[in-house]
Amino acid sequence: MSLVQSHNEWDPLEEVIVGIVDGATIPGMSPGVRVTMPSRYHQFFSENRGKTFQNVDPELCYKAQIELDGFAQTLERLGVTVQRPASRDHSVKYSTPHWESTGSYATMPRDSLIVIGDQIIEAPMSWKSRYYETLAFRPLLKKYFQSGARWVAAPKPTIEDALFLHDGSMEQPWVLSEFEPVFDAADFFRCGRDIFVQRSHVTNLSGIEWMRRHLGNEYRVHMIQFDDPTAMHIDVNFLPLCPGKALANPERVPEIPEMFRDWEILYPPVPNLTDDAELYMSSRWVAINILMLDPNTVIVEQEEPELQTFFRNQGFDVVPVPFRNFCAFGGSFHCATLDIRRNGTLDSIF
């Protein structure tokens, strides 16, 4: 039996990959960075391209690594098998026939990989700095393949200039053209046979169509959109918590997607985390990037007491975990993990 088996975001979690901050490197300014990252840090990205976060902000790295390790230990105490990627130097330059770049990190496994059933799919990411990101996960991918899992990589994009409609500074809906299929895995979430995706500044229509054709008739891929001018990764806008309940960002979801209109939609309180905090790669709404351990249990950031109370009032068991410093890297519990095995079956929820 394959070690890999996961069909949704809420079945009891049995095995997970948790990212690392080792070697995390600052991406340079690019169309995708300009249009999605906080504008107050654009100069930071321009001036520090290719430098490691360790060299630029060592205290942050130290604190984030302690939080990550503590999170992994909490999961293990709760009976979850935890795997970690290999440490790599992401500041090493690499090139293709079209460009050269340094890497990024192995901090957010859900950005570059998605598990659907017994297969792991590598995403064709549109940031040059994330071109070889899955190499840090390669030892684990080989292990899962040897256990019987299907291992698929979407076609590597060339990321030529034609992929971008503008440099990210213009007020247009999207920065990506349809030159070639690209997507980040974190723009998808899973509800059994129904897979939901948002078009974003890292996921184009061609990428969505590639996934639809690849999954075939066994799955239905639905595109949903939100009021998010910096759209990048669906799990800070909308995320199912269990059958019949979903979490929605109150600032970015003015209209509930049609298929969820008979669900109970939960609008969380505004996070304590403020936009003027040291958030290099996200907004304060990263605080709602929670992880479901099972349909009744949710992991929530320790310094978000109102969010914890909110979930308890909705009938969930809450596990508070410190993760504030980690959020500076652009994600929280959901982004920092990749579900490898959840104890459940493939169902049609809708």
Side-chain angles (χ1 to χ4, degrees):
M1 177 181 172
S2 169
L3 292 176
V4 176
Q5 198 72 234
S6 182
H7 304 290
N8 54 52
E9 309 294 333
W10 58 78
D11 280 338
L13 186 62
E14 296 182 342
E15 183 164 341
V16 68
I17 298 174
V18 174
I20 56 177
V21 297
D22 305 40
T25 299
I26 299 164
M29 187 56 63
S30 67
V33 171
R34 185 185 300 277
V35 77
T36 57
M37 297 297 103
S39 59
R40 66 185 182 277
Y41 288 116
H42 285 182
Q43 186 174 352
F44 170 84
F45 290 117
S46 295
E47 293 177 349
N48 294 289
R49 176 178 185 173
K51 297 179 182 178
T52 64
F53 276 98
Q54 178 65 40
N55 286 334
V56 174
D57 197 339
E59 184 178 1
L60 173 69
C61 288
Y62 174 73
K63 291 179 178 178
Q65 189 62 62
I66 288 176
E67 290 174 345
L68 263 178
D69 293 344
F71 173 41
Q73 291 162 10
T74 296
L75 290 172
E76 289 173 337
R77 285 197 300 270
L78 293 168
V80 180
T81 299
V82 175
Q83 307 286 355
R84 310 296 293 272
S87 181
R88 293 178 61 86
D89 182 359
H90 298 278
S91 66
V92 172
K93 284 187 177 180
Y94 52 78
S95 66
T96 75
H98 305 286
W99 44 262
E100 72 171 21
S101 179
T102 52
S104 187
Y105 51 29
T107 306
M108 310 291 177
R110 202 176 298 265
D111 291 2
S112 60
L113 300 163
I114 185 170
V115 171
I116 297 180
D118 67 344
Q119 67 176 315
I120 304 178
I121 301 171
E122 295 186 47
M125 305 178 86
S126 62
W127 285 21
K128 297 171 184 176
S129 61
R130 309 194 79 172
Y131 199 73
Y132 290 115
E133 189 160 309
T134 57
L135 289 182
F137 302 94
R138 185 61 63 95
L140 293 171
L141 296 175
K142 289 191 289 187
K143 183 187 83 168
Y144 292 132
F145 175 72
Q146 290 161 1
S147 81
R150 290 181 290 166
W151 174 15
V152 177
K156 280 284 190 189
T158 58
I159 318 183
E160 298 174 56
D161 290 345
L163 180 60
F164 303 99
L165 295 172
H166 55 89
D167 68 357
S169 62
M170 301 172 65
E171 292 187 4
Q172 292 185 11
W174 308 114
V175 75
L176 294 174
S177 72
E178 300 301 326
F179 176 69
E180 57 191 345
V182 290
F183 62 80
D184 277 16
D187 268 329
F188 293 81
F189 66 72
R190 306 151 306 146
C191 289
R193 295 188 185 276
D194 293 279
I195 310 296
F196 294 86
V197 58
Q198 70 171 1
R199 184 184 184 184
S200 76
H201 294 296
V202 292
T203 296
N204 62 10
L205 296 175
S206 299
I208 295 170
E209 182 59 24
W210 183 91
M211 182 69 89
R212 181 177 284 117
R213 294 184 198 178
H214 170 71
L215 293 177
N217 294 330
E218 190 175 12
Y219 294 90
R220 300 173 290 266
V221 177
H222 311 274
M223 189 170 74
I224 52 180
Q225 292 301 141
F226 307 103
D227 185 14
D228 182 3
T230 61
M232 177 183 179
H233 304 164
I234 199 169
D235 53 5
V236 290
N237 288 335
F238 197 86
L239 190 68
L241 303 173
C242 59
K245 287 187 179 183
L247 189 69
N249 187 317
E251 289 185 358
R252 300 178 185 171
V253 185
E255 185 175 353
I256 302 304
E258 183 175 356
M259 292 181 67
F260 293 91
R261 288 179 185 168
D262 61 347
W263 284 38
E264 183 179 0
I265 306 301
L266 308 182
Y267 293 96
V270 174
N272 285 341
L273 185 63
T274 59
D275 279 333
D276 59 0
E278 201 73 281
L279 293 172
Y280 292 113
M281 304 179 76
S282 65
S283 77
R284 64 184 177 180
W285 288 107
V286 72
I288 69 170
N289 190 238
I290 51 85
L291 179 70
M292 299 301 296
L293 286 180
D294 57 51
N296 304 306
T297 310
V298 57
I299 292 183
V300 180
E301 215 285 312
Q302 183 172 274
E303 294 185 36
E304 292 292 338
E306 289 84 1
L307 188 59
Q308 294 168 35
T309 299
F310 166 80
F311 278 112
R312 289 192 183 100
N313 289 342
Q314 298 296 331
F316 292 98
D317 296 323
V318 174
V319 180
V321 174
F323 224 51
R324 188 62 102 214
N325 294 283
F326 179 85
C327 291
F329 290 89
S332 193
F333 302 111
H334 198 252
C335 294
T337 55
L338 178 69
D339 311 347
I340 292 298
R341 191 171 64 256
R342 286 183 180 267
N343 186 1
T345 57
L346 179 60
D347 298 316
S348 287
I349 307 300
F350 297 89

